[in-house]
Amino acid sequence: MGSRSEELLALKNRYVSPAFFHVTPVVIERAQYPATLYDVDGRRYIDFAAGIGVMNVGHQHPEVLEAAREQMERCTHLGFHLVLYEPYLRLAEALDRIFPRPAAGASPGANPIHTKSIFVNSGAEAVENAIKIARAATGREYIIAFTGAFHGRTYAALQATGKTKPSRFPFLASLPPHIVHAPYPYLYRAPVRFASEEEASAFYLAQVEHLLDTVVAPERVAAVLIEPVQGEGGFIVPPRGFMQGLRQLCDQHGILLISDEVQTGFGRTGYWFGIEYHGVVPDLIATAKALGAGWPLGGVTGKAEVMDRVPPWALGSTFGGHPVACAAALKAIEVIERDGLLMRARWLGERIATRFRAWQERFPFIGDVRGVGAMQAFEVVRSHKDRKPDPDRVNRIMEECYRRGLIMIKAGLYGNVVRTLVPLTITEAELEEGLSILEAALECVAEGG
Ligand code: PLP
């Protein structure tokens, strides 16, 4: 490690709470479009994490920077509850255009769904507000969330998070009630081996129904809150039919379906929103991360008939929908559309998954390979046969990656999943360089045992 990095890391250790964790000791000074970073000692890194799934259009996208700069020159903060401004309104309009819709009604004008939005500052706030909207709109109090989920670190979002340690456990005693968890269909670690995805879906839908029969009556449930592909949980993809079955169950009981698109949104999965992969239309989506393309911005977008049921003045935020963040978000949506980044996410995903599958044959510690679009991951296990998670080996892989110049990120209930969240604009050269570094890291930890 260089001397500037060491000096700054010492400041971190002295002045920043250890609770606010970080996964590498790398201190970055600047980024270069689309996927390269430089540290304070001039070392170069390929970025396979995109600021945890934020920089979908790439770092330092020139048009996004220009849009933000222009907005900064006009005005920075105004406060939406005080005066209106165009970027906020145009962004709400753009989200209405890209909100998931039934395939048959996808042509403009023919579509019956009309949405409204609110904007906040982060993913957790988006989830909090989606929960509040669902409760206000239905007059019901319970939320069904899923095991292994991650929805944020504020109290209600934390309560919906389906993992006790490290983020939930220390605060559990004072969490508000009214959120119950159903098992997320995590087939690689399911208690039984299913003959088909349909059989697996039926099994997990029956678990949700069981919860409604035994723990909370459907008449008390405001919403089902789900990630269409679990992000922090380890890029777990529900089996075919599960999300559609969930939609039917919600319709049957007047329950709203909230899709947490904080990690899966804005092209990451090869669709605007991850739930479209399942062919399902939600009632509400929670967004953040790539929405702001590098500025803190979250949002809730939902069917107008749901959003309109929340009384005026009930929701708000001083900084929510900041003009500069909205201007950047609008430009990023334009770039994703114009430059075909949804298709590029699918292509990138194929390229990455092909490499992962080849490594799975070669390395006995690479278990399940899975993902949707440019959201690809593999599980690191003791052996293909026993599937026991091996988080220590993942930590060694992460370390070997950044030592060689690649910023990687892990995930998973057991911390044993290596995931990729590459900028969707990453060049082929950057992608190949990053994959070669990851391969070298895998070879290194294979030799080390
Ligand atoms: N929801 C999902 C699916 C997430 O992945 C995250 C963060 O990783 C959040 C919510 C919380 O977002 P934030 O960290 O912006 O509060």
Side-chain angles (χ1 to χ4, degrees):
M1 195 189 299
S3 59
R4 284 272 295 144
S5 298
E6 264 174 23
E7 182 192 333
L8 293 169
L9 197 62
L11 285 186
K12 188 263 164 192
N13 290 335
R14 189 162 172 79
Y15 295 115
V16 181
S17 161
F20 223 80
F21 66 95
H22 62 123
V23 292
T24 74
V26 177
V27 188
I28 293 297
E29 188 167 77
R30 67 188 174 90
Q32 180 183 306
Y33 177 78
T36 297
L37 303 172
Y38 291 91
D39 78 8
V40 288
D41 293 297
R43 274 204 67 195
R44 179 173 166 271
Y45 298 83
I46 301 295
D47 182 13
F48 268 20
I52 324 184
V54 169
M55 309 309 289
N56 286 10
V57 296
H59 292 277
Q60 304 298 100
H61 192 289
E63 291 169 80
V64 175
L65 287 186
E66 190 49 35
R69 198 176 294 121
E70 277 176 13
Q71 180 55 48
M72 277 194 290
E73 274 160 17
R74 276 194 291 273
C75 56
T76 55
H77 176 71
L78 292 167
F80 186 82
H81 305 299
L82 207 54
V83 290
L84 303 180
Y85 42 92
E86 187 165 355
Y88 192 113
L89 306 171
R90 293 281 176 214
L91 186 59
E93 180 186 48
L95 279 156
D96 177 65
R97 191 161 42 79
I98 63 175
F99 189 83
R101 292 196 155 87
S107 57
N111 206 307
I113 294 177
H114 164 213
T115 70
K116 294 191 177 180
S117 293
I118 59 152
F119 297 111
V120 287
N121 307 288
S122 67
E125 274 180 272
V127 170
E128 293 272 344
N129 278 279
I131 290 173
K132 286 165 76 178
I133 291 166
R135 283 185 171 173
T138 58
R140 302 172 177 188
E141 57 209 327
Y142 277 89
I143 302 293
I144 294 182
F146 289 85
T147 55
F150 186 83
H151 294 293
R153 293 167 188 275
T154 52
Y155 274 100
L158 196 56
Q159 172 79 334
T161 290
K163 185 178 178 221
T164 48
K165 291 177 184 172
S167 47
R168 209 181 117 152
F169 173 75
F171 310 104
L172 202 58
S174 51
L175 286 175
H178 301 133
I179 298 185
V180 292
H181 289 86
Y184 196 83
Y186 185 1
L187 300 199
Y188 186 64
R189 300 203 171 278
V192 268
R193 297 274 166 267
F194 299 103
S196 66
E197 291 199 28
E198 288 73 14
E199 190 185 293
S201 284
F203 174 86
Y204 284 97
L205 286 168
Q207 303 291 308
V208 180
E209 284 180 309
H210 186 65
L211 202 65
L212 296 174
D213 288 339
T214 56
V215 178
V216 50
E219 294 81 1
R220 303 284 296 277
V221 178
V224 166
L225 168 64
I226 190 163
E227 293 163 89
V229 177
Q230 266 190 359
E232 300 303 306
F235 287 16
I236 304 167
V237 187
R240 241 189 315 279
F242 178 74
M243 294 294 288
Q244 291 185 352
L246 214 49
R247 175 74 270 183
Q248 281 163 13
L249 207 58
C250 286
D251 289 343
Q252 190 185 333
H253 297 293
I255 297 170
L256 299 175
L257 181 62
I258 307 172
S259 188
D260 181 343
E261 299 281 355
V262 170
Q263 193 154 157
T264 46
F266 301 96
R268 175 57 52 194
T269 62
Y271 298 84
W272 277 110
F273 299 104
I275 198 162
E276 294 171 84
Y277 167 76
H278 302 283
V280 167
V281 176
D283 297 296
L284 298 168
I285 58 172
T287 55
K289 288 193 185 283
L291 167 65
W295 279 264
L297 185 65
V300 182
T301 302
K303 292 178 180 166
E305 65 266 27
V306 175
M307 300 296 277
D308 283 344
R309 266 184 264 158
V310 187
W313 295 85
L315 302 171
S317 163
T318 299
F319 284 116
H322 190 277
V324 180
C326 287
L330 259 174
K331 184 53 80 176
I333 288 173
E334 187 189 316
V335 167
I336 292 170
E337 233 162 12
R338 186 198 64 203
D339 295 350
L341 295 187
L342 306 188
M343 290 317 288
R344 191 143 202 286
R346 295 178 199 191
W347 178 85
L348 283 167
E350 251 330 291
R351 279 284 284 268
I352 295 167
T354 303
R355 287 291 278 276
F356 284 6
R357 283 193 288 265
W359 294 341
Q360 189 183 33
E361 306 268 295
R362 197 172 144 204
F363 300 108
F365 55 82
I366 296 191
D368 203 21
V369 170
R370 57 179 179 243
V372 179
M375 208 175 166
Q376 295 292 331
F378 57 80
E379 258 195 59
V380 175
V381 291
R382 295 279 164 82
S383 74
H384 283 181
K385 195 155 173 285
D386 76 10
R387 300 185 176 188
K388 255 186 126 166
D390 193 350
D392 294 341
R393 198 188 294 264
V394 168
N395 291 338
R396 295 206 299 280
I397 295 168
M398 297 289 117
E399 195 174 327
E400 291 304 329
C401 282
Y402 77 71
R403 275 175 9 94
R404 290 171 161 79
L406 174 67
I407 302 296
M408 282 295 300
I409 186 167
K410 62 179 181 174
L413 202 47
Y414 310 103
N416 70 317
V417 176
V418 175
R419 60 171 155 162
T420 52
L421 287 165
V422 299
L424 305 180
T425 48
I426 191 169
T427 64
E428 277 201 69
E430 287 169 324
L431 180 69
E432 279 311 309
E433 190 180 342
L435 288 170
S436 301
I437 293 174
L438 179 54
E439 186 165 17
L442 294 174
E443 281 162 1
C444 177
V445 303
E447 280 158 21

